[in-house]
């Protein structure tokens, strides 16, 4: 223990007192100076520790003859117990300890106590922690492991509090569409793996509800985003067909009407979603997944009808088998414009 450290702290405490006086004078909030108080407490404990160390060294330096005496044996036992207690006290300085861990320690040693700024080394030694050294070690080890779990949950929470969807306007209608974000997908996958790893740990018990809650939120987000992107791709493809091809709308009247209904509902959903900033808030809305699956089903019916329509054209005109579905749709959509159809066929033949 260094007297210089004590003097430096005293100087800082005097400055702290002056600053507090000034703060009261100007009626401003008083800083708590938690670090200063913690430093004073630790120096007090450290002073007591070094006093004990000096005494122990003096005992070990006694003449060999006295070691056979009962008085020495008793003193040696006391010193060993003291050493064990000090080791336990040192471990209990871990910042990972929370109130629940102190409660567990009280239960283990059968003594109720409180830890605060006024706690002295004598108070801690009175707990006779040498009797529960293994319990102390286990509790501290558990606290450290749980701190790791706590940090992961905090990290996941902070990450998803700030994550937002990116949008891009549809080239024809201008409605906001979800932008494919690789960073988002990587973060989502990474956090899901982290939470799954936590669930396999034996130190997750205290946090189990939080971990399961976050796992559920991210699983929902994952499923919804994947389905959403699929619906969006299908909608974009069909929108360019049913909205721009009057001929196909005439040929597929029922499916054109079906698409119009989905189109209106999908646009309404996208405009509403664009007003919601947070990704989890947007994806975890009630019944959203069911709505997207319904969109997916109805759009698939439109896709199927369109594929069957194209197949009938290919059966009637076998040369269409050598043309891609996209080009064929383009040709059919210009059925009333022969010159454009001929130009397209020439291009397709050249390919």
């Amino acid at each position: 223990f260094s007297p210089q450290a004590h003097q430096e702290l005293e100087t800082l405490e005097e400055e702290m007192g002056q600053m507090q006086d000034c703060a009261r004078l100007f009626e401003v909030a008083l800083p708590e100076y938690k670090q200063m108080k913690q430093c004073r407490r630790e120096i007090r404990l450290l002073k007591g520790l070094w006093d004990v160390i000096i005494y122990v060294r003096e005992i070990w330096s006694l003449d060999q003859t006295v070691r056979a005496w009962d008085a020495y044996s008793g003193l040696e036992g006391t010193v060993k117990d003291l050493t064990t207690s000090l080791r336990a006290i040192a471990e209990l300085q871990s910042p990972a300890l929370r109130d629940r861990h102190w409660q567990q320690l009280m239960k283990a040693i059968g003594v109720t106590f409180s830890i605060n700024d006024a706690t002295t080394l004598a108070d801690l030694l009175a707990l006779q922690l040498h009797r529960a050294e293994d319990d102390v070690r286990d509790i501290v080890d558990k606290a450290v492991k749980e701190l790791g779990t706590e940090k992961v949950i905090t990290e996941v929470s902070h990450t998803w509090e700030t994550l937002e969807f990116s949008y891009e306007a549809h080239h024809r209608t201008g409605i906001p569409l979800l932008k494919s974000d690789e960073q988002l997908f990587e973060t989502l996958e990474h956090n899901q793996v982290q939470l799954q790893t936590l669930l396999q740990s034996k130190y997750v018990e205290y946090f189990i509800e939080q971990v399961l809650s976050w796992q559920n939120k991210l699983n929902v987000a994952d499923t919804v985003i994947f389905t959403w992107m699929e619906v969006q791709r299908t909608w974009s493809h069909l929108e360019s067909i049913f909205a721009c091809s009057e001929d196909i709308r005439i040929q597929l009247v029922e499916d054109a009407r079906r698409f119009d209904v989905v189109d209106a509902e999908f646009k309404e959903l996208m405009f509403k979603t664009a007003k919601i900033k947070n990704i989890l808030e947007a994806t975890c809305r009630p019944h959203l997944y069911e709505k997207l699956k319904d969109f997916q089903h109805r759009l698939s019916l439109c896709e199927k009808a369109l594929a069957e329509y194209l197949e009938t054209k290919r059966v009637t005109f076998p040369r269409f088998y050598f043309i891609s579905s996209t080009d064929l749709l383009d040709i059919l959509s210009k059925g009333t414009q022969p010159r454009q159809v001929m130009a397209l066929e020439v291009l397709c033949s050249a390919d």
Side-chain angles (χ1 to χ4, degrees):
F1 173 72
S2 169
Q4 182 182 351
H6 174 70
Q7 292 171 358
E8 290 177 357
L9 183 58
E10 277 192 336
T11 301
L12 290 173
E13 286 173 334
E14 288 178 4
E15 293 180 8
M16 177 184 73
Q18 294 172 1
M19 292 178 68
Q20 288 177 324
D21 291 340
C22 292
R24 279 189 287 268
L25 180 63
F26 290 100
E27 298 182 347
V28 297
L30 295 172
E32 294 186 18
Y33 298 105
K34 290 183 179 179
Q35 296 89 343
M36 190 85 72
K37 293 176 181 178
Q38 178 68 15
C39 187
R40 168 54 67 191
R41 177 174 176 272
E42 290 181 358
I43 282 186
R44 190 184 301 118
L45 291 173
L46 188 60
K47 171 65 167 60
L49 176 60
W50 276 105
D51 287 345
V52 172
I53 290 174
I54 292 171
Y55 294 145
V56 171
R57 285 175 179 172
E58 290 180 357
I59 291 169
W60 298 141
S61 65
L62 290 175
D63 191 280
Q64 292 285 338
T65 305
V66 304
R67 299 193 179 191
W69 300 346
D70 291 340
Y72 180 85
S73 299
L75 180 59
E76 183 181 37
T78 301
V79 170
K80 286 181 177 179
D81 290 343
L82 181 60
T83 303
T84 303
S85 292
L86 290 173
R87 197 160 47 233
I89 291 171
E91 291 191 38
L92 291 174
Q93 298 295 308
S94 172
L97 289 170
R98 301 289 184 265
D99 287 343
R100 64 182 181 277
H101 301 119
W102 290 109
Q103 294 296 326
Q104 292 167 12
L105 180 59
M106 291 181 205
K107 185 177 180 180
I109 64 177
V111 176
T112 301
F113 60 89
S114 61
I115 300 294
N116 51 51
D117 292 339
T119 302
T120 64
L121 180 60
D123 295 330
L124 295 174
L125 290 175
L127 297 176
Q128 298 186 329
L129 294 175
H130 61 275
R131 297 180 178 179
E133 183 183 18
D134 291 340
D135 291 320
V136 170
R137 188 178 297 112
D138 291 343
I139 289 170
V140 173
D141 182 62
K142 181 181 180 182
V144 171
K145 297 295 196 305
E146 288 182 345
L147 180 60
T149 300
E150 184 179 320
K151 286 181 177 178
V152 171
I153 294 173
T154 301
E155 175 191 327
V156 170
S157 178
H158 287 169
T159 296
W160 290 93
E161 281 176 0
T162 57
L163 277 181
E164 299 179 1
F165 275 131
S166 297
Y167 296 93
E168 56 186 353
H170 182 247
H171 67 281
R172 210 184 67 80
T173 64
I175 74 165
L177 297 179
L178 298 184
K179 200 171 185 179
S180 183
D181 187 341
E182 288 301 320
Q183 184 61 48
L184 167 62
F185 300 144
E186 289 176 8
T187 300
L188 180 56
E189 182 180 2
H190 175 63
N191 289 160
Q192 285 177 303
V193 170
Q194 283 183 304
L195 293 171
Q196 186 58 42
T197 301
L198 291 184
L199 287 175
Q200 296 170 356
S201 168
K202 65 179 182 179
Y203 300 103
V204 76
E205 182 180 1
Y206 181 78
F207 304 96
I208 188 68
E209 290 186 7
Q210 293 181 64
V211 174
L212 289 175
S213 174
W214 273 109
Q215 186 183 52
N216 179 64
K217 288 178 184 177
L218 297 191
N219 286 345
V220 169
D222 189 9
T223 304
V224 166
I225 292 172
F226 176 80
T227 306
W228 209 330
M229 298 299 287
E230 287 291 315
V231 168
Q232 187 171 279
R233 276 192 290 270
T234 307
W235 172 85
S236 297
H237 171 63
L238 293 177
E239 194 277 340
S240 64
I241 297 170
F242 284 104
C244 301
S245 175
E246 191 61 35
D247 181 66
I248 290 176
R249 291 184 66 85
I250 292 172
Q251 297 296 324
L252 302 174
V253 177
E254 183 180 344
D255 293 287
R257 289 173 181 166
R258 178 184 290 116
F259 176 79
D260 288 344
V261 174
V262 175
D263 179 60
E265 293 177 7
F266 179 72
K267 287 177 179 176
E268 181 184 9
L269 172 65
M270 294 311 300
F271 280 122
K272 283 183 178 179
T273 301
K275 297 176 182 178
I276 303 173
K277 299 299 183 183
N278 184 265
I279 289 178
L280 288 186
E281 188 179 345
T283 56
C284 293
R285 283 175 287 172
H287 312 300
L288 174 60
Y289 177 68
E290 290 77 10
K291 178 180 285 190
L292 290 170
K293 291 298 289 184
D294 179 55
F295 286 168
Q296 197 173 43
H297 171 68
R298 285 186 282 167
L299 290 174
S300 70
L301 293 178
C302 295
E303 278 190 312
K304 182 180 179 183
L306 192 60
E308 291 174 351
Y309 170 67
L310 294 181
E311 184 61 23
T312 61
K313 295 298 182 182
R314 284 176 170 135
V315 169
T316 305
F317 304 100
R319 67 179 181 277
F320 285 164
Y321 280 110
F322 301 100
I323 299 175
S324 69
S325 296
T326 302
D327 289 334
L328 180 53
L329 284 169
D330 208 6
I331 290 172
L332 295 174
S333 67
K334 294 178 173 61
T336 57
Q337 305 170 50
R339 291 185 179 180
Q340 291 193 34
V341 171
M342 289 178 64
L344 282 168
E345 288 190 312
V346 169
L347 288 172
C348 293
S349 299
D351 290 342

